Amino acid sequence: MLKIVVCVSGGGTNLQAIIDGIAQGAVLNTKIMRVVCNNHGAGALKRAEAAGIEGVCVSPKDYADRGAFEAALIRTVEEANPDLIVLAGFLVKVPVELIRKYENRIINIHPSLIPAFCGTGFYGLRVHEAVLARGVKITGATVHFVDEGMDTGPIIMQKAVEVHEDDTPQTLQRRVMEEAEWVILPWCINLIAAGQVKLENGKVSVVE
Ligand code: GAR
């Protein structure tokens, strides 16, 4: 059984896709031990509660400084003793200490085809605004392992999505979620739980 902690910041639709994937049997041998959120009142916490999963909020607002917040975040994740940490719309820079402790055991979903439209400042709706401003015709989503850089870790899976001429950032965000994010994030977790994801020399392959 792959024990996962899911870290979230906002609405939690990717969290929901994981919850549904487990409930429907698309994601096997996986249990969400805890949902960790940095934002009081985030929709994601309500989704966790509705699914009977423990949700814990660790907000920087509740701590004197960044160091105290990061220590609490690390403690809260570690208490749940996960095999894998899933960043599902977690808009906090993950403490380096946690990345080192969980090397190749943290994955992230990013709403573009990395290496395009990623790195510092590219998160949430901003990614889709930048995609539309540049006029690219194809975008998508990426699941990758988290390393110490920003969106630089080994890529596990990507899925392309068409940009439409009349898209707004909101309509594009929705299509990328529906067609890509909610598909590949649960899929990758299932593959990891099945031991089918191999990482060698910084590159990922999926084995039978
Ligand atoms: C998702 O689109 C996710 O890819 C993005 O935030 C959104 C969260 O939505 N993450 C990033 O931009 C990370 N750089 P959700 O809370 O409904 O899952």
Side-chain angles (χ1 to χ4, degrees):
M1 183 68 76
L2 185 79
K3 292 178 287 169
I4 66 173
V5 162
V6 184
C7 298
V8 292
S9 295
T13 65
N14 279 287
L15 167 66
Q16 192 67 52
I18 301 167
I19 292 170
D20 294 347
I22 292 172
Q24 292 159 9
V27 180
L28 298 171
N29 275 317
T30 300
K31 184 172 165 55
I32 304 177
M33 308 306 292
R34 174 176 275 188
V35 168
V36 178
C37 182
N38 64 308
N39 204 351
H40 290 290
L45 283 171
K46 297 192 185 71
R47 291 179 191 271
E49 194 184 349
I53 300 162
E54 181 192 29
V56 182
C57 185
V58 183
S59 165
K61 291 181 184 153
D62 299 333
Y63 298 90
D65 55 40
R66 188 79 193 172
F69 163 66
E70 290 193 347
L73 183 65
I74 294 168
R75 209 167 45 240
T76 305
V77 168
E78 285 192 314
E79 270 170 13
N81 194 27
D83 302 310
L84 181 75
I85 300 168
V86 179
L87 310 183
F90 189 56
L91 307 183
V92 168
K93 190 165 175 8
V94 179
V96 171
E97 185 186 333
L98 194 64
I99 295 172
R100 290 185 182 157
K101 277 188 175 166
Y102 286 83
E103 194 185 4
N104 302 328
R105 291 193 294 146
I106 308 178
I107 64 171
N108 179 50
I109 178 88
H110 182 78
S112 76
L113 293 175
I114 291 174
F117 306 104
C118 63
T120 307
F122 285 102
Y123 58 86
L125 214 51
R126 289 180 185 214
V127 174
H128 307 291
E129 286 166 357
V131 162
L132 292 177
R134 184 62 183 85
V136 300
K137 308 305 180 203
I138 302 283
T139 184
T142 303
V143 176
H144 64 93
F145 283 112
V146 173
D147 66 8
E148 292 183 32
M150 192 64 110
D151 301 328
T152 53
I155 291 171
I156 305 170
M157 195 180 286
Q158 296 186 294
K159 190 166 189 295
V161 175
E162 270 181 27
V163 180
H164 295 176
E165 274 183 12
D166 59 353
D167 264 329
T168 63
Q170 288 78 8
T171 62
L172 184 57
Q173 179 180 53
R174 183 77 192 178
R175 187 171 330 101
V176 169
M177 285 175 157
E178 284 177 358
E179 293 183 10
E181 296 187 44
W182 303 341
V183 178
I184 64 174
L185 184 57
W187 188 350
C188 285
I189 295 169
N190 186 54
L191 287 173
I192 291 170
Q196 288 181 255
V197 174
K198 294 276 174 270
L199 178 59
E200 236 172 40
N201 302 326
K203 288 202 185 122
V204 169
S205 54
V206 175
V207 296
E208 286 304 312

